[in-house]
Amino acid sequence: MRLFGVAGWKNAGKTGLMERLVTEITGRGLSVSTVKHAHHAFDVDHPGRDSHRHRQAGATEVLVASGHRWALMHELRNRAEPPLEMLLAKLSPVDLVLVEGYKRERHPKIEAWRQAAGHALIAPEDPTIRAVASDVVLPDLPVPRFDLDDTGAIADFILSEVGL
């Protein structure tokens, strides 16, 4: 499975870049799936719905399906967060999986960086960062630098890196 990440600190532009990359790469005829890491509790379900009631009753997994989509929700019930590799194994085959977050994992990544966010760059200390997409010119980077809004060039770079 071809895998490439978008990493960076909060408010660096990761989600917007991911969204633009998915649009750009699928527009080129390739299939893309995404994995998004969340550092907080989240829910894709709503109180009062049958599936939510199943989970509240103690179900470990609840699968909801319709003619348009299906979703599998898995409750960890105080067990450890599963590793990225385990989650990737659950995905159907595609040309490319883009991963948002998981900045400490060892897959190749591009770092999204905005000057106004006020965080230090990850790239100089992390060999898994293969390029930086930023809103300002950054001299003396150990990796290529792209304008954060140059989605086409960033997509070209990622596809070249993964051999597509």
Side-chain angles (χ1 to χ4, degrees):
M1 180 177 304
R2 290 180 170 101
L3 177 73
F4 208 89
V6 174
W9 300 107
K10 184 177 182 176
N11 297 321
K14 298 181 301 294
T15 301
L17 178 56
M18 284 281 291
E19 183 179 14
R20 294 189 310 275
L21 286 170
V22 170
T23 300
E24 175 73 24
I25 295 169
T26 59
R28 297 180 186 193
L30 297 169
S31 57
V32 177
S33 289
T34 65
V35 175
K36 162 74 173 116
H37 189 256
H39 291 283
H40 50 80
F42 68 93
D43 208 334
V44 295
D45 207 357
H46 303 285
R49 297 285 188 185
D50 294 349
S51 53
H52 188 268
R53 291 172 62 190
H54 296 180
R55 288 174 43 226
Q56 292 301 106
T60 298
E61 290 189 329
V62 176
L63 194 144
V64 181
S66 75
H68 298 280
R69 70 188 55 87
W70 65 270
L72 176 64
M73 293 169 280
H74 183 98
E75 292 294 318
L76 292 175
R77 306 259 183 239
N78 297 317
R79 290 186 303 274
E81 180 179 341
L84 178 59
E85 296 78 25
M86 182 178 158
L87 299 172
L88 291 170
K90 295 184 179 300
L91 295 176
S92 298
V94 291
D95 296 316
L96 176 65
V97 176
L98 291 173
V99 176
E100 180 179 344
Y102 289 98
K103 66 180 160 277
R104 301 205 192 314
E105 295 288 330
R106 304 315 305 159
H107 60 278
K109 303 170 201 70
I110 187 164
E111 179 178 358
W113 191 86
R114 285 190 195 279
Q115 186 173 33
H119 297 286
L121 277 164
I122 299 167
E125 307 300 321
D126 186 342
T128 68
I129 302 290
R130 299 298 202 306
V132 173
S134 68
D135 60 346
V136 296
V137 174
L138 298 166
D140 303 321
L141 281 176
V143 295
R145 183 256 171 201
F146 297 92
D147 185 280
L148 188 55
D149 293 321
D150 193 350
T151 308
I154 295 168
D156 289 342
F157 176 80
I158 290 171
L159 294 174
S160 174
E161 285 282 302
V162 300
L164 287 173

